[in-house]
Amino acid sequence: MAERKDPLDAGTGFEWDEGNAHKNWERHQVTPEEAEDVFFNEPLVVRSDVRHSKPEPRYYALGQTSGGRHLFVAFTIRRSLLRVISVRNMNRKEGAPMANTKTKPVPEFRSEDSEREFWAAHDSTEFIDWQSAQRRKLPNLKPTLRTISLRLPVSMIEDLKVLANKRDVPYQSLLKVFLAERLEKERRRA
């Protein structure tokens, strides 16, 4: 018998549209970038929802952003892309889930909007046995990238190219490393 592959292991990126991006911001002030960030930090605790995974796999996650914001995420996987349905701040109980042997069944949802509304108003610990969740790493997942236009002095670009050449990396990659290091330093200071 062939071993079933976990769809999470095949996740390579994210699917966003105006609906799931705007509604989560409007309701909970969570940006798509923050929602994605949860999946790249540890610990990430994920629980599948077999009962609601008929048309597509459904999952719930607890995690935190690089900035320290603790979030609850309801999501699905379409093809190899994670689609965030609902994301909000964790409540106190979700931040320290305890064994809960008596959970209520998660209701059936007619749409992503009805699922988003439900999770906005309900504590996941009443419906999800977080003790059976697993810590996960998603090795193939990449954040959404956005192209920006950046004007730099020619001398700065030339210095960057020299440094990049010494490290045998493209200068744009080195620039990303420098930005990431500085952002991390600023986060720790804040």
Side-chain angles (χ1 to χ4, degrees), residues 110-156:
R110 295 179 319 278
S111 66
E112 285 186 7
D113 283 339
S114 63
E115 187 170 357
R116 191 176 295 108
E117 291 296 318
F118 178 83
W119 289 118
H122 290 86
D123 178 349
S124 72
T125 60
E126 293 178 29
F127 299 89
I128 300 167
D129 177 9
W130 284 109
Q131 291 301 308
S132 62
Q134 298 176 332
R135 285 182 179 236
R136 293 296 304 260
K137 290 184 182 179
L138 308 176
N140 299 315
L141 192 61
K142 305 279 187 269
T144 301
L145 301 177
R146 181 174 297 137
T147 302
I148 64 167
S149 175
L150 183 63
R151 299 186 196 303
L152 299 173
V154 172
S155 62
M156 187 181 288

